[in-house]
Amino acid sequence: MLALGKINRLSVKKQVKFGYYLDGLSWGEILLPNNVVPAGLEVGQELDVFLYLDSEDQLIATTERPKIRVGEVAYLPVVAVTKVGAFVDWGLKKDLLVPFSEQQIPLKEGQKYLLYCYVDVSNRIVASTKLDRHLHKTPAKYNIGDRVDIIISEKTDLGYKAVVNLTHWGVLYQNEVFKPLQQGDKMSAYIVKVREDDKIDLRLTSATFNQAKQLTDKIIHRLHQNNGKLALTDKSSPELIYEAFGVSKKAYKQALGLLYKAKKIVIFEHGIILTPTDTKDN
């Protein structure tokens, strides 16, 4: 089934002077203009194209890939504000409209905003900054530890609000963040908890007990490289811990706890040292 604003696989029906017509099935013939025709294209061949409406609201195909598709979220710049709304650059010749009714606050030319793309009741591809209208429409069916894709929306008092798998809202708490984040940043995260309201708690690392055990070997190795001393405790900043071991502060604290219980290290206010026994054994 064909979908406006998404990638569709269509077959080439015929060639004309200004391009190729693709078989749009019940949608009829769809033009693929010459300026986006791949080299060596032949009648009967199938190819993946993005379907949208041109400046005359005619259905058209392109091999170009926009920065956002229907059902997706992206951080895009406003290139013009007109009497019908704001227009953003989404990577195609015709800019993407953000109607005034879909602007949380009035958009300004030159500024970037986090947008959700959809097809409106007039069958137009448009975008919205009112993400609450379009997210959380389905139950958040995730398991603890699931890896998901997120896009940072905004900084809050708790941490960072993020869009999870383009469909739900999630929260990265401040104590789980160990590197600078900006609106529009894309990355992987892991499910910590799905709350009763379907809001999702996230973390940036898959910190588990087993991973903490693996980290202990790295810490011991680093201690031996530094004459049995390391100026990095469970109270050090998340940034310093991440720079040293590439893990969150929570994972590092778990690893130190395991080493301390095993009597392999002693923890002081400003650092940790190997116990005399562990020093002799290695």
Side-chain angles (χ1 to χ4, degrees):
M1 185 176 181
L2 300 186
L4 187 63
K6 295 188 176 183
I7 303 298
N8 300 261
R9 178 164 283 265
L10 302 180
S11 61
V12 179
K13 191 171 183 180
K14 63 183 179 184
Q15 183 177 9
V16 294
K17 183 178 180 180
F18 40 85
Y20 286 80
Y21 276 110
L22 309 181
D23 185 2
L25 304 175
S26 62
W27 289 16
E29 296 179 342
I30 302 173
L31 178 64
L32 179 71
N34 276 327
N35 65 328
V36 291
V37 171
L41 186 65
E42 298 178 356
V43 173
Q45 184 178 335
E46 291 188 340
L47 75 163
D48 293 327
V49 294
F50 180 78
L51 298 182
Y52 71 110
L53 303 178
D54 65 13
S55 54
E56 281 78 41
D57 288 334
Q58 296 296 312
L59 185 62
I60 197 166
T62 181
T63 53
E64 296 178 318
R65 295 295 182 259
K67 300 172 185 176
I68 189 173
R69 305 173 191 175
V70 166
E72 295 183 350
V73 175
Y75 192 53
L76 301 175
V78 173
V79 294
V81 177
T82 71
K83 62 182 180 181
V84 297
F87 286 89
V88 297
D89 177 11
W90 64 327
L92 298 182
K93 185 176 180 181
K94 179 189 177 184
D95 296 321
L96 181 62
L97 173 66
V98 185
F100 287 119
S101 60
E102 289 294 338
Q103 298 179 25
Q104 191 77 42
I105 58 174
L107 304 192
K108 297 180 179 180
E109 185 175 339
Q111 298 294 312
K112 297 179 74 174
Y113 300 89
L114 196 64
L115 302 163
Y116 180 88
C117 184
Y118 71 102
V119 177
D120 70 7
V121 294
S122 301
N123 206 38
R124 301 178 303 173
I125 302 174
V126 296
S128 173
T129 61
K130 297 182 177 181
L131 272 61
D132 285 336
R133 286 187 178 181
H134 306 283
L135 301 180
H136 258 81
K137 299 298 183 182
T138 58
K141 296 181 178 180
Y142 302 98
N143 297 313
I144 295 174
D146 281 354
R147 181 176 176 173
V148 293
D149 294 320
I150 67 170
I151 302 176
I152 301 300
S153 172
E154 60 185 299
K155 195 174 189 312
T156 69
D157 292 338
L158 296 176
Y160 293 88
K161 191 174 181 181
V163 179
V164 179
N165 281 357
L166 304 176
T167 54
H168 296 96
W169 282 120
V171 175
L172 274 170
Y173 291 98
Q174 190 64 51
N175 63 352
E176 294 286 354
V177 177
F178 44 84
K179 58 182 180 181
L181 299 178
Q182 302 293 330
Q183 186 179 43
D185 283 352
K186 296 181 180 181
M187 64 199 71
S188 295
Y190 298 85
I191 302 296
V192 176
K193 181 181 180 181
V194 178
R195 292 179 270 154
E196 292 183 0
D197 60 0
D198 276 345
K199 298 296 174 64
I200 300 163
D201 292 345
L202 302 163
R203 69 161 55 105
L204 291 179
T205 61
S206 56
T208 64
F209 181 77
N210 288 336
Q211 288 177 320
K213 288 183 67 176
Q214 295 172 8
L215 179 58
T216 60
D217 293 336
K218 295 181 180 179
I219 295 172
I220 292 295
H221 179 69
R222 186 68 61 83
L223 283 164
H224 283 294
Q225 288 180 321
N226 290 279
N227 298 316
K229 300 178 181 180
L230 188 62
L232 205 63
T233 72
D234 56 357
K235 293 182 172 56
S236 298
S237 72
E239 292 78 12
L240 288 176
I241 292 170
Y242 185 75
E243 182 180 352
F245 293 102
V247 299
S248 69
K249 184 172 181 174
K250 185 173 183 178
Y252 185 70
K253 289 174 69 174
Q254 280 185 301
L256 289 190
L258 291 173
L259 291 171
Y260 181 78
K261 289 178 182 179
K263 297 182 179 180
K264 289 181 175 292
I265 63 169
V266 178
I267 302 174
F268 293 98
E269 182 179 356
H270 300 296
I272 61 175
I273 63 170
L274 282 170
T275 60
T277 301
D278 196 76
T279 303
K280 292 178 182 178
D281 290 343
N282 291 275

